[in-house]
Amino acid sequence: MASNEASREATAPMIFHCRLIPPRPDFAFTMTEEERTLMGRHADYLRSKLREGVMIMAGPVADPAGPWGLLILRVGSEAEARAVTDGDPVARSGRGFRYEILPMISTIM
């Protein structure tokens, strides 16, 4: 029985807190039209991850130091979380966006 529990824990999805850091602190307020288009592609990409069941939620955070994006993922490993963030059009754009990925120690859902 204990081996079944260990096996289940090893394959259980993990929750990751992903922080999208924009290229500048005032990005949310000073986006160009080209950047707005890019953010539209970003939102479409995240909606596809929601439909796949990988993303739990996402949205901008009103941090006094400057807004940033929050992405909560349910995946099997940090490598899978990295694959999701690396596939995001903003991360692929070469415009200075970057993700920080942190595993949640525990969650109440």
Side-chain angles (χ1 to χ4, degrees):
M1 186 93 158
S3 64
N4 283 346
E5 287 179 29
S7 175
R8 203 172 23 240
E9 285 179 16
T11 60
M14 299 173 62
I15 307 298
F16 288 88
H17 172 280
C18 306
R19 179 179 178 182
L20 176 61
I21 301 169
R24 56 187 184 276
D26 65 348
F27 177 81
F29 310 114
T30 62
M31 277 186 267
T32 66
E33 282 306 312
E34 188 176 344
E35 289 169 332
R36 284 185 196 287
T37 300
L38 176 60
M39 293 308 289
R41 292 196 331 258
H42 162 70
D44 290 344
Y45 175 77
L46 294 182
R47 284 185 195 99
S48 75
K49 297 303 167 190
L50 181 63
R51 286 189 298 274
E52 291 173 17
V54 172
M55 184 184 90
I56 296 172
M57 64 179 291
V61 175
D63 186 332
W68 49 272
L70 173 65
L71 173 59
I72 304 294
L73 299 174
R74 179 186 296 137
V75 293
S77 67
E78 187 167 344
E80 289 179 43
R82 178 63 59 196
V84 171
T85 60
D86 285 352
D88 189 330
V90 295
R92 297 168 43 116
S93 72
R95 296 178 185 258
F97 291 89
R98 66 185 176 86
Y99 273 100
E100 293 176 348
I101 301 173
L102 299 168
M104 300 290 295
I105 294 170
S106 66
T107 55
I108 299 171
M109 298 173 56

